Amino acid sequence: MSKSPFFKNIRFPNVFILLIIVFISCALLICINFFTIKILSANRAYVHGESHYSKGQKDAARYLIMYLFTKDTNQWKLFSQELKVPQGDGIARRSLLKYGDNEIARRGFLTGRNHKDDLDDIVWLFVNFKDVSFLAKAIHEWGQGDELIAKLSKLGQQVDAQIKQNLLTPASQQKFLNEISTISDKLTINERNFLNTLGEGTRKIKSLLIITNIIFILIIVISVCTYYSIMVKRLVISKKEIEEKNENLIHVNHELDRFVYSASHDLRSPITSLKGLIEITQLEDDIEQVRDYLTLMHKSLVRQDQFIVDIIDYSKNKRKQIIIEPVSLKELLDESISQLMHIENANKIKFTKELLIDTIQSDDLRLRIIISNLLSNAIKYADINKEEMFISIKTYTEEGYNKIEITDNGIGIKDEFKNNIFEMYFGTNKNKGSGLGLYIVKEAVENIKGSISVFSENTIGSKFIVAIPNYHGN
């Protein structure tokens, strides 16, 4: 059998050279990516460490101010404890500059609340790149910050000495307060400059990585395409995978369409009730009072309609982007209760709130969905036969989670229904809802990596506890 012209023109040495080129290119690409990822990981560790540095400094300043005015020794202990965080990082910096990698530096970083698994990357980047422009500039900012931390420590000792010797006067209090504020403001600038410098270096590394990857990938692709036909097989496999994914997407979209349709109809029913109330208030003789009522009701309709639009968008996207930001639980609870007062018997229910926490870092949209649906259910399923109907709301922190607890003395949930209440379209009473409320709550809780638990007794009442991860902002 004769060989084709293509294979006649490719001799063994040429093929061998192609394989060597591919092998070397792959090896270099792996090495470059490994060290680039290591640098980016170290940068990430430094940014994370800076957040602890900054938080420790700010908490220390806050406790020192409290100690200055309360003279509470516990505040002094907290000040000393929090100040050890940036001081630990400072010890590590000086030790690395003088001796290189050593145990003192690593202990300093641990004192600075850096994760032990990040220590190798942190030390490696410092030792090997401390003279590179972006890191050298960041280390310089770090050093200036350490000098300010030393001043804050010295200032704290002066405050402590005057308090212990009973020499503190209102004038000296104000003087110390001004000095603490000045140091904190300067530290904030240093910390911002440190982060900006690391960010600039990360962007440069990213650009270099992209260019390097493009070059080596082109070399690999050109070399491989001249000899191997395996790419065709990979394309066939890729096509099959895409077809399977498309089938899954069609199935998911179908479920989402059903969810959006039912959710929109179920959640728009309160708007219909409010519109009826508007018609009733139009019978009011006092024109000014009527205008006030109509304005308030219109605003409520607008807010409720926008809320529905958000839920529909969330449903369509299934996994709408989580936006972690400060959210006031008090404001969300007050707003939800106000919007739900149109529900029958809502004005007969006694609402009590015990808010041990208010502002938390979480997703505003998901919290609105959770709180509104849980309160709506508690109102709808109130027991009108009881002498006093109540809904108790508590917020608190426990085991590292922010928790929202909503308790009522309504009709409760029968034992045979408890395992199904979070299913789509499941409802113990279809006249009171479409059965989507708790399903939406479950989806929203899972989206923010939380959990929900329910405790209920038939005719006694129900308690829902939502546990939300305690996100920390920088």
Side-chain angles (χ1 to χ4, degrees), residues 242-428:
I242 291 173
E243 289 174 351
E244 291 176 358
K245 289 179 181 178
N246 284 337
E247 290 178 0
N248 291 333
L249 286 174
I250 291 171
H251 177 71
V252 170
N253 286 334
H254 176 68
E255 283 198 355
L256 287 178
D257 286 341
R258 291 172 59 217
F259 174 81
V260 171
Y261 176 80
S262 299
S264 62
H265 281 274
D266 183 46
L267 294 176
R268 285 186 180 274
S269 59
I271 295 178
T272 303
S273 299
L274 279 175
K275 288 179 179 178
L277 288 174
I278 291 175
E279 293 177 1
I280 293 174
T281 55
Q282 287 175 336
L283 300 176
E284 174 70 43
D285 293 333
D286 188 342
I287 300 299
E288 292 301 321
Q289 187 66 50
V290 169
R291 288 177 179 172
D292 290 341
Y293 285 156
L294 291 174
T295 299
L296 290 173
M297 291 182 181
H298 181 264
K299 288 181 179 179
S300 181
L301 282 171
V302 171
R303 287 195 300 268
Q304 185 73 356
D305 192 62
Q306 183 58 52
F307 176 62
I308 294 168
V309 171
D310 288 339
I311 292 179
I312 293 172
D313 289 341
Y314 157 71
S315 305
K316 288 179 179 178
N317 289 287
K318 188 65 177 176
R319 287 294 179 268
K320 189 173 181 180
Q321 181 181 3
I322 303 296
I323 301 175
I324 303 300
E325 58 185 347
V327 181
S328 171
L329 295 179
K330 181 179 182 303
E331 291 181 5
L332 287 187
L333 289 165
D334 290 343
E335 184 177 336
S336 294
I337 293 172
S338 174
Q339 291 179 354
L340 296 170
M341 290 307 293
H342 67 277
I343 299 177
E344 185 179 3
N345 296 317
N347 59 349
K348 299 177 183 178
I349 298 174
K350 180 181 179 182
F351 290 85
T352 60
K353 289 181 286 187
E354 183 182 347
L355 308 183
L356 300 182
I357 54 171
D358 178 13
T359 301
I360 65 173
Q361 293 283 338
S362 191
D363 182 90
D364 181 83
L365 172 61
R366 271 70 180 192
L367 287 181
R368 287 179 186 274
I369 293 172
I370 294 165
I371 290 173
S372 179
N373 277 282
L374 290 179
L375 288 175
S376 175
N377 271 9
I379 296 172
K380 289 178 182 177
Y381 294 98
D383 191 344
I384 60 175
N385 296 320
K386 291 180 179 174
E387 182 177 347
E388 181 183 49
M389 296 182 290
F390 71 82
I391 296 176
S392 173
I393 306 166
K394 294 181 181 180
T395 64
Y396 54 92
T397 300
E398 184 178 81
E399 297 177 351
Y401 285 84
N402 297 314
K403 294 194 174 183
I404 303 172
E405 182 179 304
I406 297 179
T407 307
D408 64 68
N409 66 336
I411 63 176
I413 304 171
K414 294 181 179 180
D415 291 339
E416 62 262 32
F417 296 147
K418 288 180 181 179
N419 293 332
N420 307 106
I421 59 174
F422 293 110
E423 295 177 4
M424 184 183 287
Y425 308 125
F426 180 84
T428 59

Side-chain angles (χ1 to χ4, degrees), residues 179-221:
E179 291 178 5
I180 294 170
S181 299
T182 301
I183 292 173
S184 293
D185 291 341
K186 290 180 179 179
L187 276 165
T188 299
I189 295 173
N190 277 115
E191 290 156 2
R192 188 184 301 118
N193 291 340
F194 180 86
L195 288 177
N196 290 339
T197 302
L198 286 182
E200 181 182 356
T202 302
R203 286 188 291 273
K204 289 180 179 178
I205 292 171
K206 179 183 175 182
S207 299
L208 181 61
L209 174 63
I210 291 173
I211 294 172
T212 305
N213 270 272
I214 291 173
I215 293 173
F216 281 100
I217 288 173
L218 285 175
I219 294 172
I220 294 170
V221 170

Side-chain angles (χ1 to χ4, degrees), residues 1 25 35 56 71 73 89 95 103 136 155 162 177 181 193 215 281 309 315 318 324 327 329 342-343 427 443 453:
M1 181 182 292
S25 298
F35 284 106
K71 301 179 183 179
T73 55
D89 287 332
S95 183
E103 191 60 29
L155 191 62
Q162 289 206 12
L177 178 61
S181 299
N193 291 340
I215 293 173
T281 55
V309 171
S315 305
K318 188 65 177 176
I324 303 300
V327 181
L329 295 179
H342 67 277
I343 299 177
E443 288 284 307
S453 54

